[in-house]
Amino acid sequence: MIDAAPKRAVFDTNVIIAALLSRNPNSPLRELLARWHNGEFELLYCFDLLAEYREKLVSKRIMPSTALNFLRELATAGVAVDLSPGDVAPRVVQDPDDDIVVACALVGGATHLVTYDPHIHSLGSSIDGVQILDGLHFLYAVRGDVPPE
């Protein structure tokens, strides 16, 4: 049976950085960005997450044209989530900055939160119905296939 529900994902900053820094044309994260470009899932963001993306792209010295192109595309093709201060509940005790990522996923109605951050993964495999996956496993979900054993 094919899952007809559209996937809606929030990418933690570490996923975006890794995707844009990857030089491997077969990188799962680059493939995820390509699949997002092709409309295979929706990418959600909020203002604070967009600001964090921008800050980290600069600090990691990602080519300005690459960073700017990604940010423009996200602002155009991504789904903006409007967060109020009350939406950001303390959930990630080890790193409260991660609460924005979780809030964006929950308020935005995400199906997936994609991250490599162990603090977010410490919340479990899901939170309030939002699956927490790393990039490779989210790619399997987008493709509709299963990881090799």
Side-chain angles (χ1 to χ4, degrees):
M1 185 168 146
I2 296 174
D3 181 15
K7 290 178 180 30
R8 296 170 56 91
V10 172
F11 283 5
D12 195 359
T13 308
N14 55 55
V15 174
I16 299 300
I17 297 299
L20 296 179
L21 283 176
S22 176
R23 296 181 192 266
N24 177 357
N26 298 316
S27 159
L29 298 178
R30 287 181 62 175
E31 182 177 338
L32 275 175
L33 287 181
R35 288 178 178 271
W36 169 57
H37 291 273
N38 291 336
E40 295 182 39
F41 64 92
E42 295 177 326
L43 188 55
L44 286 67
Y45 70 94
C46 62
F47 176 79
D48 289 334
L49 195 52
L50 187 65
E52 183 177 326
Y53 288 166
R54 185 179 314 115
E55 175 188 329
K56 296 296 182 183
L57 290 170
V58 169
S59 74
K60 296 293 182 183
R61 298 179 193 221
I62 293 178
M63 282 182 47
S65 61
T66 300
L68 189 57
N69 286 341
F70 171 76
L71 293 171
R72 281 184 182 155
E73 184 165 13
L74 183 62
T76 303
V79 177
V81 175
D82 188 26
L83 291 182
S84 68
D87 293 327
V88 184
R91 295 181 182 264
V92 187
V93 177
Q94 304 94 330
D95 189 355
D97 288 344
D98 290 336
D99 290 333
I100 292 288
V101 180
V102 174
C104 184
L106 295 175
V107 172
T111 57
H112 297 83
L113 192 164
V114 184
T115 185
Y116 290 102
D117 188 329
H119 299 131
I120 295 176
H121 280 286
S122 73
L123 298 174
S125 62
S126 69
I127 184 167
D128 295 345
V130 178
Q131 281 190 291
I132 301 172
L133 297 175
D134 62 27
L136 182 59
H137 288 88
F138 181 61
L139 178 59
Y140 291 135
V142 170
R143 286 181 181 164
D145 58 8
V146 294
E149 292 184 20

